[in-house]
C-alpha cells in the first residue's frame, strides 16, 4: 500500500478510481482474477505517461542518445539534495516520449522552496546537457524539458517573487479563460522594460541550472556511463536497481 | 451579537442569510437544536475562507514555515498603527491556504487613506519577509500575498492618484466586461513611458513596504518567536490569546 | 417651476416623466395627495445621484474628511468665474458617494469653451487638494473625481483640439461598439510618440488645475473652514445657505 | 429642376425617392395639394442634416460664436479657388449641429485633386480659426470639423499617396468588416517609425490649412464681420444673399 | 477561339461558364440568335471589370486626366520588356474605374520573376507619374494603383525572398481566416526592427519603379501625347489600334 | 513491400488505408484486377503531393527554370551527409508545385539533430540558390521552400533550444487553438529585444544554409548541368537513375 501511495502523489479520489479501473482492465486482459501489485504499478505509469508503445521502435543510435539523456536526468536528480528521488528510469517509449525518468517526492508537498525549484531546473536541463557533452550536439528529444524549464523559471520570476532583481511582486494577470476549449495564460500588465528584465532573469535561471547540471555530469562521468550502459542492457531500472549502481560505485 | 458584527464587516443582507444558513446546517450536523455562538463563528470562517481541510496534513517543516509566516503577518499587523487589528491567527489549512491571519477593521470603512494602504502592504509582505529572514529563502506560500500586494500597489498608483510622481490622475480604463465568464481588468490608454513609471512606482511601494516589515520583524524578533511557538503548540490563536502574548512580554 | 427647470438641465421628456413618477411614489409614501415642491426636489436628487443611504453611517473622522472634501469642491466652484454655480452641498451619502456638491449650469449649454473646462478641472481636483492640505494625505474618496478629471483632460486634448502643442486635430477613433453590453471607447490610431505627448498634455492640464485649486483654497482658508463647519452641523447646504456664507464673510 | 440637381450631388435613386417622400409628407403637413419648390428644398436639408430644432435655443453668446464660426467657413470656402461653392449658411440648429454651411460642388466629381483637398482642409479649419481669432479661445463647436479634417488629412497621406515624404504608396489595410454592426477601419501594417511620419505629415497638412485659413480671415476681417452680422440678423443666408455681400463690398 | 483564350488567362471552368452565360444574356438583349464574337468580348470585359457605366459621365477635365493616366499605363507597359502586352486602353468608365488599360500575359504563367514584377510595378505607377508630370499634381484616380503596387512590393519582400537586404526568407504568417466574411491577411511574427526594414524595402521598390516610369515617360513624351489624343477622340483603343501608333511614330 | 515502407515514412494506419483505397481506384481505372506496384507508387505520390496535372503545361523557359531548381535541391540533398536520400526528382507538375524532389529518410526517425536540420535548411534553399546562380534572378517558384526554411529555422531557435546565443530555453507559447477552422500558432511571451535576437538568429541560420548550398553548387556545377539535362529529357528521375548520374561522373 505504501508503494502505491508513494507513486501517486497528488492523486485525488477520481484519479485513484481511474487508476483502479485501469488496473482492473489490465487484470482481465492478463486472465487474472485479482488485481496484483504488478497491474497496479503498470496502471500508474499508464495513467501518468500514456501506454507503452511497443511498435515505436528506436534505432540503435536513438536508443543510445535516449539512454544517455535519461541517465543524465536520473544522475543529476540523484545527486542534488532538494530534487525528488528517482523512482524509475526507462528507455521504453511511452505516449510521446522516447524515454522517461520518474521522480516522485518522498511526501506530499504544499510549499515549494527556491532551492527545490533550482534543483528541479538543473534536473530538467540535465538531458540536454548530457546530449551536448557526449554527442557534441542536441536533438529534438530535449524540447519538452526546455519548455517545462522555461515555464518553471518564468513562474519563479513572475508568480513567486523569487527574483532578487524584480523583488517580491507578481507580473502579468494569469487568466484561466476557457474559450472554445483553449486556455490563455497571461495578460501582460507591465512595460517593455520589465519584459526585458523578466527575459534576462529567466535566462539567468536557465543558464545557472545548465551550469549546475554540467558540473555534476562532468565530475560524475563514470557514473553516467555506468547508468547508461545498464539502461541499454535492461531498458528499465527500478528505484532499487538504480540506487544499487551508486552503492557499488563506492566499493 | 457585537462579536458577530465585528467579524462580518461589509456583509450585506444576502451574506448574513448565507451565514445563518451555514450555521443552521452545522447545528444540525452537531445534533443541536439551537444555533450557538460556536456554530456562528465556525460558519463565518467557512464563508470567508472555505472549509477546514483536516486531510490536508502539512509536514513538520511545512508547519514550521507556516507558523513563522503567519506570525510575521500577525506581528506586523499588530505593530503598525493603521493596519486592521488581528482577530485570529491559525495554521490549520482552510480552502487553498496553508494558514491564515484574520484581520478585521474595527469599524466599517468608507474611505481608505494612503497610510492605511501602506500599512496593509507591509502586513501583506510580512509573511514573505519572515520566511526569508528565518529560512534564508522563500516558498510558494507567499505567492498569493505578493499578488494581492501588487494589485493594491497598482491601484494606489493608477486609481487613487496616490503617486507623487504621476500626480492626481488615473491610468487605464477599468472594464468589467463579463465575456464567457471572464473579467478583463484594464485597457491601457497611456504610453509605454508611463507604463515604465507605473512599474517603477509599484516597485517603490513594494520595496518600501518590505523594508517597513523587515525593520519591525528584526526589532521584535523575540515576539515573533513567541507567537510562532504558541502557534505551533495551539495551532490557532484567538484575538485575546494573541494579544495576551504582547501584554506578557511587557512584564 | 423655474427651480425645477434650473435643477434639471439636459433632461429630456423621458427623464422628466421618470422624475414625476418618482415624485408621485414619494408623495404616496408620505401619505400626501398632491405632489409638492419638496417631493419634486427630493426626486430630482434621487434620479441624478441615487437614493439616500441612511444606513451607510460614516465615522466621525470620515464625516470630517467628507465635509472638507465637499467644501473644497464647492468653494472652488463658487470662486472660479466659468464654473457652474453650486446648487447644493451635502455630506449625506447617496448611491455610492460619501457626499456631493451639486453644480448646475445657469442655462442649457450647447458650446463649451476651454475656460469653462479649465475651471471644471480645478473644481474636480479641489476635493483631492483640500484633503491633502488639511490631512496631509488623500483618501480613496477622490478617486472618482480624478477619473472624471482625467477623462475630461483627455477629451480637451484628443477630441476638442484644445492643446496648443498637438494642434487643431483629433486623435484616436472613438467607437461606440456595444459588444455584449460593453462599450469600448478608443482605438489608438497614432504613434507611440504622440501617445507620450498626449500623456504629457493631460498631466499638464491636471497639474495646472491642481495649482489653481490649491491657490484658491490657500487664499480662502477661513472660508473653507466656515463651509466645512456649517456642513458638519447642517449636513446639507442649499444654494441660498451656501451663498449666505460668502455674504456674511464680507461683513 | 436644375436647383434640385445641384443641391443633391451624389444622390442615388433611393435617396431621391426618400427625398420626394419627405417632401410629400411636408406638403401634406402644410395643407397643400402639390409639392412646391419650397417643400423640396426644405426636404433636401432635412435628409442631409436632420430636422430643424426649434426647441434647441442657443444663448446670445452661443449665437454669436456660431455666427462667427459659420461665417468663417463660408468666407474661406468662397475665397479659395478649389473649394466647393457655398449654397447656404445658417445658424439655425439642425440635428446635432449648432449651425451649418452647405457647400455643394458645381458638378458631380469622380476625381479629386490635392489642391481641392487642401482647400477643403482650410475650409474645415476656418470655423476653429475664426473662434480663436475673435474670442481668443475655441469651443467644442469645432470638434466635428477637426475630426473630419484629421480623417481627410490621413487619407491624403495613407490612401492617395499625396505625401512627398512617404511617396506614392499606401499604408494600412482598410477593412470593411461588419462585426455586430461595427466597422473597423484600419489595420496597421507598418512600423512605429512610419506611424510617426504619418502623424507628422497629418499635422503638417492640418497646420498648413490652419495658416491658409488664418491668412484669409485676417486679410478679409471686414467681410467676416459683414457676413456674421448678416447671419445674426437673418439667421439663414441663401447662396444669392451670401454672394451679394461680396459684390456690395467691392462697391 | 484564340482571341478568347488570350483574353481569359487564368479562367477556370466555372469562370468560362459564367462568361458564356453573360454572352447568352447579351445576345438575347441584342435580339440575336447566336452568340457572336462581339458579345463574347463584351462579356469578358464585363466579367473582369464590371458593366459599362454610361450614366457615369466624366467632366472634360476628368476625361483629359483619365486619358493621360491610361496612356501613361499603356505606354510604360508597351516599352518595358517584361511587362504584359496591352490588349486594350479605354476611358469609358466600367464598374468603379474611370478608365482602364487591359494587359494580358501572352501565355499562362506559373513562375514570375523579379524582372517581371519590377516592370509591373513601373506600369502600376505610370498613371500616377503621368498625372504629376502633366498636371503637376495627382488625383484620387491613382489610389487603387498605389494600393496594388504596395501590396505587390510587400509580397516581393516578405513572401518571395526578393530583397537582398532581408535575404531568402519569409516574414509574417499569412492567414486565410474567413471570419464572418472577412479575410485577415498577415500576422506579424517579427520584431519592430524588421518591420522598419520591410517598410524601407517596400519604399525602395516603389521609388525605383517611379523613377523607371518617369524616365520612360519623359523620353517618350510625344508618344504619350499621341496616345492621349487618340484616346480622347476614340475613347477606346484595341490592341491593333494601340500598336499602330508606335509603328506610325517610327515612320 | 520494403519499397512501400521506405516511401511512406510516418504513415499511420489511416494513411495506409487511404493509400490502398487510392491504389484500388487507380487499378479499376486501368482495367486491372490486382493492385500492382505501379499503382501503389503512383498512389503514394498522389496522397503526398496531389494529382498529376497534365493540363498545367509549363513554357519552355519555365521547364528549364524548374529543371535547374529541382536539380539544385536533389544535388545538395545527395551531397550533404545528414540530408535524407533523394527518392525521385520530377518536373511534372503535381498539385500546386511545378516540380518536386522527393526525399525520404532511410528509417523512421524519432529524434532529429541540429546537423540534420542544418542540412535540411541547405537543401530547402538549394532551389533558390540555383535559380540565382544560373538565371541571375529568382522566381516565385522558391517561395514555398523559403517559407518552410523560415519555419524550420524558427523552430530550431524557439522550440529546440539550438541557438547558442539564446540558450536552452523556449520562446513563445505554441497554441493549437482551432477557432472556426483556423490554427493560430504562437503567442509572444518575450520582449521586443528577444524578438530582434530571434530574427537575427533565424537570418543567420538561413544565410549559413544559403552559403552551404552555394558552395556545393559552385563546386559541382557540371553535376548540376548533368542532372538538369537528364531531367529536361526524361522529366522524372527515379532514385536509381538519379544515383547513376553520380557513378558515371566518377568514371
Amino acid at each position: 500500500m505504501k508503494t502505491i501511495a508513494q507513486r501517486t502523489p497528488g492523486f485525488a479520489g477520481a484519479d485513484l478510481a481511474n487508476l483502479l479501473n485501469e488496473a482492473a482492465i489490465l487484470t482481465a486482459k492478463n486472465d487474472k482474477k485479482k488485481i496484483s501489485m504488478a497491474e497496479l504499478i503498470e496502471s500508474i505509469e499508464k495513467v501518468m505517461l500514456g501506454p507503452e508503445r511497443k511498435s515505436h521502435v528506436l534505432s540503435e543510435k536513438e536508443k543510445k542518445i535516449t539512454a544517455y539523456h535519461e541517465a543524465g536526468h536520473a544522475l543529476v536528480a540523484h545527486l542534488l539534495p532538494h530534487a525528488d528521488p528517482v523512482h524509475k528510469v526507462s528507455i521504453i517509449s511511452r505516449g510521446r516520449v522516447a524515454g522517461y525518468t520518474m521522480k516522485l517526492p518522498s511526501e506530499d508537498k504544499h510549499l515549494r522552496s527556491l532551492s527545490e525549484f533550482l534543483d528541479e531546473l538543473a534536473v530538467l536541463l540535465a538531458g540536454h546537457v548530457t546530449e551536448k557533452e557526449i554527442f557534441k550536439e542536441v536533438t529534438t528529444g530535449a524540447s519538452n524539458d526546455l519548455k517545462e524549464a522555461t515555464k518553471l523559471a518564468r513562474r519563479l520570476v513572475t508568480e513567486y517573487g523569487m527574483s532578487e532583481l524584480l523583488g517580491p511582486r507578481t507580473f502579468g494577470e494569469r487568466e484561466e479563460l476557457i474559450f472554445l476549449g483553449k486556455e490563455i495564460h497571461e495578460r501582460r500588465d507591465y512595460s517593455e522594460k520589465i519584459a526585458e528584465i523578466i527575459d534576462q532573469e529567466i535566462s539567468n535561471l536557465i543558464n545557472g541550472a545548465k551550469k549546475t547540471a554540467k558540473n555534476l555530469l562532468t565530475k560524475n562521468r563514470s557514473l553516467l556511463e555506468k547508468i547508461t550502459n545498464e539502461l541499454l542492457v535492461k531498458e528499465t531500472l527500478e528505484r532499487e536497481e538504480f540506487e544499487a549502481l551508486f552503492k557499488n560505485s563506492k566499493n
Side-chain angles (χ1 to χ4, degrees), chain A:
Chain A
M1 219 52 191
K2 204 191 138 201
T3 311
I4 294 168
Q6 259 184 335
R7 295 203 173 184
T8 56
F11 269 50
D15 299 322
L16 290 170
N18 183 15
L19 175 65
L20 286 174
N21 203 24
E22 284 288 342
I25 292 166
L26 200 62
T27 307
K29 267 195 198 155
N30 295 352
D31 269 330
K32 293 194 187 172
K33 293 209 165 154
K34 273 179 75 178
I35 301 174
S36 74
M37 185 57 83
E39 279 85 18
L40 272 172
I41 285 172
E42 168 88 29
S43 301
I44 290 171
E45 281 165 27
K46 193 172 166 195
V47 167
M48 291 177 91
L49 292 166
E52 261 186 34
R53 308 210 326 188
K54 300 246 162 90
S55 68
H56 188 88
V57 188
L58 300 179
S59 69
E60 276 314 301
K61 172 84 186 190
E62 288 175 333
K63 209 166 254 173
K64 200 175 158 192
I65 294 171
T66 303
Y68 268 108
H69 183 112
E70 297 304 328
H73 282 312
L75 177 56
V76 170
H78 184 85
L79 296 172
L80 284 173
H82 305 100
D84 293 329
V86 173
H87 270 235
K88 189 173 183 174
V89 199
S90 173
I91 57 171
I92 298 173
S93 304
R94 269 190 174 280
R96 290 184 160 203
V97 296
Y100 59 98
T101 298
M102 196 188 284
K103 305 173 313 272
L104 296 176
S106 39
E107 48 187 324
D108 267 19
K109 282 183 186 174
H110 305 95
L111 300 174
R112 307 286 312 270
S113 70
L114 178 56
S115 318
E116 286 167 32
F117 286 136
L118 293 182
D119 285 4
E120 193 177 331
L121 280 178
V123 173
L124 279 166
L125 286 169
H128 170 92
V129 171
T130 308
E131 286 192 38
K132 200 146 192 183
E133 280 296 293
I134 305 296
F135 304 98
K136 305 304 164 213
E137 71 170 352
V138 293
T139 67
T140 50
S143 69
N144 202 54
D145 298 339
L146 303 185
K147 190 173 147 192
E148 287 306 312
T150 305
K151 243 190 203 170
L152 178 54
R154 177 178 298 280
R155 298 190 84 182
L156 297 199
V157 173
T158 63
E159 271 186 70
Y160 301 145
M162 289 173 173
S163 151
E164 283 300 321
L165 196 53
L166 289 164
R169 52 170 291 201
T170 59
F171 297 91
E173 280 184 72
R174 236 75 40 194
E175 298 182 343
E176 292 182 42
L177 167 61
I178 304 311
F179 179 49
L180 301 176
K182 184 69 205 65
E183 223 181 310
I184 290 165
H185 295 286
E186 199 211 82
R187 234 168 50 93
R188 190 185 280 199
D189 60 0
Y190 41 83
S191 63
E192 181 62 24
K193 198 173 157 185
I194 288 290
E196 266 184 42
I197 301 178
I198 290 172
D199 279 338
Q200 195 54 53
E201 288 291 85
I202 294 172
S203 287
N204 289 346
L205 284 167
I206 295 284
N207 289 333
K210 183 179 144 187
K211 204 169 285 177
T212 302
K214 199 168 172 179
N215 285 343
L216 287 176
L217 290 164
T218 310
K219 287 193 195 141
N220 298 278
R221 178 68 181 263
S222 62
L223 268 168
L224 177 70
E225 300 291 350
K226 202 171 172 183
I227 303 168
T228 305
N229 291 336
E230 200 75 359
L231 262 176
L232 284 169
V233 175
K234 297 189 180 168
E235 291 205 319
T236 295
L237 300 178
E238 292 293 336
R239 184 173 187 167
E240 300 72 30
E241 295 169 289
F242 175 70
E243 290 181 350
L245 296 173
F246 292 87
K247 286 171 200 152
N248 295 347
S249 77
K250 283 175 189 164
N251 291 347

